[in-house]
């Protein structure tokens, strides 16, 4: 193949990332991995513990450093209506705990954890219940974005819940080719949007495959979001650990009246020092804290984002 042509062909996803994302879908591997003490030790880098109590304690500790939090119980693709209802009930308790402990915490949910695969209607009702609770408690409910096949349903459910009032936001993924259109279609309803790069293995038909393309689309979408935020048309959150990107966003925000009205969200255990530094510089930062026992698929996605993290697993084994 000639060199000029190879520049224009999408490079395949790095092998380690592809294998880790494939592994994330294996129930057998999940079972094997979760039983091992070394794996549980390694995963502690990204979560304070499996219990809600440990997540709430971590949220209190972060609040001391002016860091807000977002709490999420790990789990996805539940297959039984009763399990989905139990997840909704769990989150209603989480909101109670947040209020009782006066924590500056939001909640983030995955729709397949609330039974999207089982019943779209029941899932919608669970989201409406949680959004109403978030509003009553003057806090916030976020909806994660999962694989591309769920995007239409997730956007529909978000629109339905947003029609009841504010206090609810949705995640959009910059790697999806459709996201510029999705953002444009959402802006008229005054959405709250958490922009991320995207964590799943998607085909080239639906998603940009090269990191620099994803980064460029992220930056273009961020710029539109800052405009929308400045015009009071959107609540804006950037979910990223990409500090170069964050610096560029901060510079752009300083040129608009949106300065100080957007937030940066990062994951627990990733760039913790930078999270504190940004907060000390006046940026509103929240840390997304995951907890629960169903951490395998989620943990594989964290390893896929930075395969060098596999060394934590190896080191924890000895
Ligand atoms: C608050 C929040 C919510 C999210 N919600 C969703 C969601 O709903 N749906 C979805 O598809 N994805 C979600 N993600 C994940 C996201 O899509 C990316 O996969 C992830 O954030 C990595 O991309 P990045 O923007 O940090 O940039 P990258 O370019 O991947 O990383 C920038 C730098 O950050 C550091 N870094 C990034 N990831 C890791 C890691 N795992 N371990 C150690 N260092 C790391 C590295 O230093 C890296 O060089 C969320 C991420 C955040 C922060």
């Amino acid at each position: 193949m000639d060199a000029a042509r190879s520049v224009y062909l999408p490079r395949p996803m790095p092998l380690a990332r592809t294998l880790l994302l494939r592994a994330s879908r294996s129930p057998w591997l999940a079972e094997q991995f979760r039983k091992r003490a070394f794996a549980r030790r390694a995963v502690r880098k990204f979560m304070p513990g499996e219990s809600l109590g440990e997540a709430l304690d971590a949220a209190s500790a972060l609040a001391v450093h002016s860091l807000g939090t977002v709490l999420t119980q790990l789990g996805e693709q539940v297959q039984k209506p009763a399990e989905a209802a139990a997840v909704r009930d769990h989150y209603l308790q989480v909101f109670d705990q947040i209020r009782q402990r006066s924590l500056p915490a939001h909640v983030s949910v995955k729709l397949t954890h609330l039974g999207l695969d089982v019943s779209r209607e029941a899932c919608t009702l669970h989201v409406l219940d949680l959004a109403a609770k978030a509003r009553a408690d003057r806090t916030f409910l976020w909806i994660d974005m999962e694989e591309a096949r769920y995007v239409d349903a997730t956007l529909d459910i978000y629109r339905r819940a947003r029609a009841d009032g504010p206090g609810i936001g949705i995640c959009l993924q910059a790697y999806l080719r459709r996201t510029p259109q999705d953002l444009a279609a959402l802006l008229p309803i005054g959405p709250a949007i958490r922009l991320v790069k995207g964590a799943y293995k998607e085909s080239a038909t639906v998603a940009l495959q090269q990191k620099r393309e994803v980064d460029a689309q992220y930056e273009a979408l961020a710029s539109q979001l800052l405009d929308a935020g400045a015009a009071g048309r959107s609540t804006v959150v950037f979910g990223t650990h990409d500090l170069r990107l964050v610096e560029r966003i901060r510079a752009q925000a300083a040129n608009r009246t949106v300065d100080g009205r957007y937030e940066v969200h990062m994951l627990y255990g990733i760039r913790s020092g930078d999270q504190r530094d940004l907060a000390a510089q006046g940026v509103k930062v929240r840390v997304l804290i995951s907890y629960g026992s169903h951490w395998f698929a989620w943990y594989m996605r964290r390893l896929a984002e930075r395969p060098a993290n596999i060394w934590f697993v190896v080191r924890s084994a000895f």
Side-chain angles (χ1 to χ4, degrees):
M1 187 190 308
D2 69 63
R5 236 182 104 217
S6 70
V7 172
Y8 297 103
L9 287 175
R11 255 178 296 151
M13 215 183 240
L15 185 63
R17 179 166 146 76
T18 306
L19 291 177
L20 287 161
L21 290 178
R22 219 170 263 166
S24 74
R25 287 279 160 247
S26 162
W28 181 82
L29 268 182
E31 183 61 25
Q32 297 305 309
F33 210 71
R34 274 167 48 195
K35 281 197 297 218
R36 311 275 181 243
F38 79 87
R40 288 206 299 276
R41 275 198 302 276
V43 84
R44 289 297 284 252
K45 172 174 158 51
F46 295 116
M47 57 191 277
E50 292 194 358
S51 72
L52 172 62
E54 286 164 301
L56 291 164
D57 289 346
S60 298
L62 289 164
V64 172
H65 298 282
S66 306
L67 291 165
T69 36
V70 182
L71 301 176
T72 193
Q73 188 194 34
L74 294 168
E76 47 200 274
Q77 295 180 343
V78 308
Q79 298 303 333
K80 294 191 183 120
E83 275 178 60
V87 172
R88 176 208 52 205
D89 293 345
H90 172 79
Y91 278 121
L92 290 170
Q93 282 174 31
V94 176
F95 280 121
D96 283 340
Q97 292 282 321
I98 290 172
R99 200 191 55 236
Q100 279 161 26
R101 295 177 64 155
S102 303
L103 287 171
H106 295 173
V107 162
S108 201
V109 294
K110 283 194 181 0
L111 294 191
T112 67
H113 199 201
L114 287 166
L116 182 60
D117 289 325
V118 189
S119 158
R120 187 155 159 173
E121 292 68 35
C123 176
T124 307
L125 292 176
H126 295 333
V127 172
L128 296 182
D129 285 350
L130 294 175
K133 175 73 172 158
R135 266 193 300 281
D137 287 1
R138 295 179 187 285
T139 178
F140 213 87
L141 178 70
W142 287 99
I143 301 179
D144 287 2
M145 191 59 84
E146 300 174 67
E147 284 101 326
R149 65 181 186 278
Y150 296 115
V151 174
D152 282 325
T154 306
L155 289 169
D156 286 351
I157 293 174
Y158 176 64
R159 283 175 176 283
R160 171 65 193 85
R162 178 66 186 82
D164 281 359
I168 179 159
I170 188 169
C171 176
L172 291 184
Q173 299 153 321
Y175 66 7
L176 291 186
R177 296 183 189 277
R178 60 178 286 172
T179 297
Q181 289 80 48
D182 289 338
L183 174 60
L186 279 175
L187 284 178
I189 66 167
I193 291 177
R194 174 177 80 208
L195 182 65
V196 303
K197 290 189 186 175
Y200 297 86
K201 176 163 168 37
E202 302 289 1
S203 73
T205 330
V206 295
L208 302 169
Q209 302 290 303
Q210 297 200 30
K211 182 170 162 40
R212 63 178 163 77
E213 291 178 308
V214 178
D215 289 355
Q217 178 139 293
Y218 191 107
E219 210 169 330
L221 292 164
S223 181
Q224 288 174 40
L225 276 172
L226 287 171
D227 285 340
R233 294 170 65 211
S234 179
T235 300
V236 182
V237 166
F238 300 107
T240 183
H241 315 95
D242 187 335
L243 291 183
R244 230 168 21 96
L245 200 52
V246 170
E247 279 320 304
R248 286 219 279 273
I249 288 168
R250 288 179 73 188
Q252 285 199 40
N255 293 330
R256 296 164 163 94
T257 49
V258 74
D259 205 12
R261 285 182 21 218
Y262 65 93
E263 293 188 3
V264 173
H265 292 188
M266 296 193 189
L267 302 182
Y268 180 91
I270 301 182
R271 293 202 178 278
S272 308
D274 295 308
Q275 294 170 6
R276 283 199 294 271
D277 289 350
L278 284 169
Q281 292 163 33
V283 178
K284 289 183 185 150
V285 181
R286 275 182 197 276
V287 181
L288 195 153
I289 302 176
S290 300
Y291 61 92
S293 54
H294 294 282
W295 43 257
F296 179 75
W298 163 85
Y299 184 53
M300 288 299 117
R301 291 197 292 272
R302 300 293 78 82
L303 295 184
E305 282 157 4
R306 192 161 177 265
N309 285 338
I310 291 169
W311 286 112
F312 287 107
V313 184
V314 175
R315 280 213 300 269
S316 306
F318 298 103

